[in-house]
């Protein structure tokens, strides 16, 4: 009668030596012995059904998340930028499909979205930038198509279209038109905060007077409403991405080429007040220094940036890269 041997498949192939013996009952004397060498194959992961994976990702309750708040967005009522399902989203939210879905990485099986109408929705990685119709215009329907491909080993991500297609699924989004009252409220807030006095209030730190700078200044990241007033956001973790942000003074892609040491805050004299981080070095004599930035509305500035050549969007210029500045005096050693 064959003697059963239990085999547990390992994660990697293993070679195992089995020793069989024959002995006299009750005495223990070995009459014969023989060794057997066997190779145990590695456990094979269950095949991944990528079509099932994409369907689950696009129909998950939180498949679309507001890019500013992180809240779930209905595909039938899109009113702002959204995050679409990505590799981390699949790993974190679809593990219930089976253990084979826990190891989903963009370096092996990248996922990519395309938009049927880039004038309404453009895709940048896992972020869908949404351009709503003008107030009074009808809602627009846009189809986003997701593909999962098998990345060729060593190939750059830009070769995505050359990789083997594993699955493709689409989802239709309805983008709602903008609301005029919301645009008017944003314009009023821009007008309130895009002033020299507010800018000074945001960067002054412990200094109390523009004509008596004795300590470092402090750049902010965003200005957000606070009741009927406003407040400044200095840390990335506190940003709301819905109001007024400090925009780039220059194209960040050109920084390395130009060597320009500023991007958000510019000083007229870097030796006394440094660009960007606004550190103060006491000069020999009192020195007047001008600091300047550009302010853009996080929600409405993008419309002018994209459609500035369209007369229908001329009114959105007030939301895009509005210049603000303040002139201060840094006290010198010799007055």
């Amino acid at each position: 009668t064959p003697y059963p041997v239990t085999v547990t498949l390992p994660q990697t192939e293993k070679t195992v030596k089995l020793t069989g013996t024959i002995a006299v009952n009750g005495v223990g004397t070995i009459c014969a012995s023989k060794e057997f060498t066997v190779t145990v194959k590695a456990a094979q992961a269950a095949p991944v059904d990528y079509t099932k994976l994409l369907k689950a990702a696009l129909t998950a309750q939180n498949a679309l998340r507001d890019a500013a708040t992180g809240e779930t967005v209905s595909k039938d009522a899109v009113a702002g930028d959204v995050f679409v399902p990505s590799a981390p989203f699949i790993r974190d939210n679809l593990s219930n499909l089976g253990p084979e879905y826990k190891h989903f990485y963009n370096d092996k099986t990248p996922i990519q979205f395309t938009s049927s109408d880039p004038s309404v929705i453009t895709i940048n990685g896992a972020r869908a930038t949404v351009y709503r119709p003008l107030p009074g215009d009808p809602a627009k329907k846009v189809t986003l198509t997701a593909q999962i491909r098998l990345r060729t080993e060593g190939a750059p991500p830009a070769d995505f279209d050359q990789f083997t297609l594993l699955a493709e699924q689409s989802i239709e989004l309805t983008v709602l038109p903008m609301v005029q009252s919301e645009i008017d409220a944003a314009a009023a807030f821009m007008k309130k905060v895009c002033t020299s006095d507010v800018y000074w209030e945001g960067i002054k730190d412990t200094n109390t007077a523009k004509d008596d700078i004795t300590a470092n200044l402090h750049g902010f990241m965003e200005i957000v409403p606070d009741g009927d007033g406003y407040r400044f956001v200095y840390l990335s973790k506190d940003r709301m991405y819905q109001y007024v942000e400090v925009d780039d003074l220059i194209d960040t892609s050109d920084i390395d080429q130009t060597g320009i040491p500023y991007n958000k805050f510019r000083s007229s004299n870097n030796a006394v007040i440094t660009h960007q981080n606004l550190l103060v070095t006491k000069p020999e004599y009192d020195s007047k220094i001008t600091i300047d930035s550009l302010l853009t509305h996080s929600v409405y500035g993008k419309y002018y940036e994209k459609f500035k050549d369209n007369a229908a969007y001329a009114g959105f210029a007030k939301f895009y890269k509005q210049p603000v500045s303040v002139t201060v005096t840094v006290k010198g050693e010799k007055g």
Side-chain angles (χ1 to χ4, degrees):
T1 302
Y3 188 81
V5 176
T6 300
V7 177
T8 300
L9 298 180
Q11 293 299 310
T12 58
E13 186 176 287
K14 300 287 186 182
T15 298
V16 182
K17 183 171 68 175
L18 301 179
T19 302
T21 60
I22 298 177
V24 179
N25 283 339
V27 178
T29 302
I30 296 177
C31 301
S33 176
K34 185 173 182 178
E35 290 184 350
F36 302 86
T37 299
V38 298
T39 299
V40 183
K41 296 294 186 181
Q44 297 296 312
V48 176
D49 185 339
Y50 289 102
T51 298
K52 175 183 177 182
L53 178 72
L54 268 185
K55 284 182 178 178
L58 294 180
T59 57
Q61 182 177 5
N62 56 342
L64 302 175
R65 288 144 293 133
D66 187 279
T69 66
E71 296 178 355
T72 299
V73 175
S74 169
K75 65 183 180 63
D76 298 319
V78 177
D81 294 357
V82 296
F83 287 125
V84 293
S86 61
F89 174 86
I90 290 172
R91 291 197 303 272
D92 295 342
N93 293 272
L94 302 181
S95 59
N96 62 306
L97 294 179
E100 64 271 22
Y101 296 94
K102 293 181 179 180
H103 305 288
F104 188 82
Y105 297 96
N106 267 332
D107 58 345
K108 296 179 180 178
T109 48
I111 179 172
Q112 192 171 106
F113 283 77
T114 55
S115 169
S116 65
D117 189 348
S119 69
V120 180
I121 298 179
T122 60
I123 303 294
N124 183 14
R127 185 187 182 104
T129 301
V130 176
Y131 298 90
R132 299 168 65 181
L134 290 167
D137 287 352
K140 291 188 176 181
K141 295 184 181 295
V142 179
T143 299
L144 299 187
T145 300
Q147 291 184 339
I148 296 179
R149 292 179 179 263
L150 179 62
R151 183 177 181 181
T152 305
E153 187 173 352
D159 293 342
F160 181 84
D161 291 340
Q162 307 302 316
F163 303 155
T164 302
L165 180 64
L166 298 175
E168 179 178 285
Q169 292 289 311
S170 297
I171 183 174
E172 186 179 73
L173 306 185
T174 300
V175 179
L176 303 179
M178 290 182 276
V179 178
Q180 188 61 50
S181 61
E182 294 174 356
I183 297 174
D184 293 343
F189 188 69
M190 280 289 291
K191 184 176 181 180
K192 175 184 292 187
V193 301
C194 291
T195 69
S196 180
D197 286 344
V198 173
Y199 184 60
W200 155 249
E201 185 181 344
I203 68 172
K204 67 181 181 179
D205 204 20
T206 60
N207 294 282
T208 58
K210 299 177 188 177
D211 60 356
D212 187 17
I213 301 299
T214 58
N216 295 331
L217 302 170
H218 190 185
F220 57 90
M221 303 184 75
E222 188 179 23
I223 310 175
V224 303
D226 186 15
D228 293 332
Y230 52 84
R231 62 181 175 83
F232 301 94
V233 174
Y234 294 91
L235 301 176
S236 294
K237 68 179 183 66
D238 297 327
R239 291 190 64 183
M240 300 182 70
Y241 301 98
Q242 299 182 75
Y243 299 103
V244 179
E245 62 184 5
V246 184
D247 208 340
D248 295 334
L249 285 156
I250 55 174
D251 183 353
T252 54
S253 64
D254 291 337
I255 291 179
D256 292 340
Q257 289 73 30
T258 61
I260 299 176
Y262 60 82
N263 195 36
K264 303 290 188 183
F265 295 90
R266 177 170 47 195
S267 167
S268 62
N269 188 337
N270 187 57
V272 179
I273 298 179
T274 60
H275 300 306
Q276 199 66 7
N277 52 9
L278 306 181
L279 302 180
V280 174
T281 299
K282 198 173 186 67
E284 184 176 8
Y285 295 100
D286 293 359
S287 300
K288 286 187 177 296
I289 311 294
T290 298
I291 303 158
D292 73 297
S293 296
L294 298 174
L295 300 182
T296 292
H297 197 283
S298 301
V299 174
Y300 296 106
K302 65 184 178 184
Y303 291 92
Y304 186 74
E305 183 178 31
K306 186 176 181 70
F307 302 115
K308 57 180 173 290
D309 295 328
N310 185 335
Y313 291 87
F316 287 84
K318 58 180 168 287
F319 295 116
Y320 185 68
K321 291 197 172 186
Q322 294 301 298
V324 289
S325 65
V326 64
T327 298
V328 300
T329 300
V330 181
K331 292 300 185 179
E333 297 283 358
K334 301 180 180 178

